[in-house]
Amino acid sequence: MVTELAWSSYLTPPEPVNFSAEWAHKDLEYAARMAGGLPHPVLDGVLSLFGTALAEGRGKEDWSTVNPTAAGS
């Protein structure tokens, strides 16, 4: 029985991981706090992008959908 379960688990692909924009924004805010208020243009820009997504109500969407211009790349 255990062998059959292990084999079926091996054959079943894992569910894709979906990190929400809300989750990513939370981690980016933490990174900004850890920066101690120093300017970090890339971090600040990405944090702004995710903040805009949250303000538009896209917080539960996958974080990769936040930048629609990157969809074609």
Side-chain angles (χ1 to χ4, degrees), residues 18-42:
N18 179 358
F19 296 112
S20 69
E22 184 177 46
W23 176 84
H25 186 262
K26 175 187 60 107
D27 282 357
L28 290 165
E29 283 183 326
Y30 178 74
R33 283 195 309 270
M34 294 305 294
L38 297 173
H40 292 280
V42 173

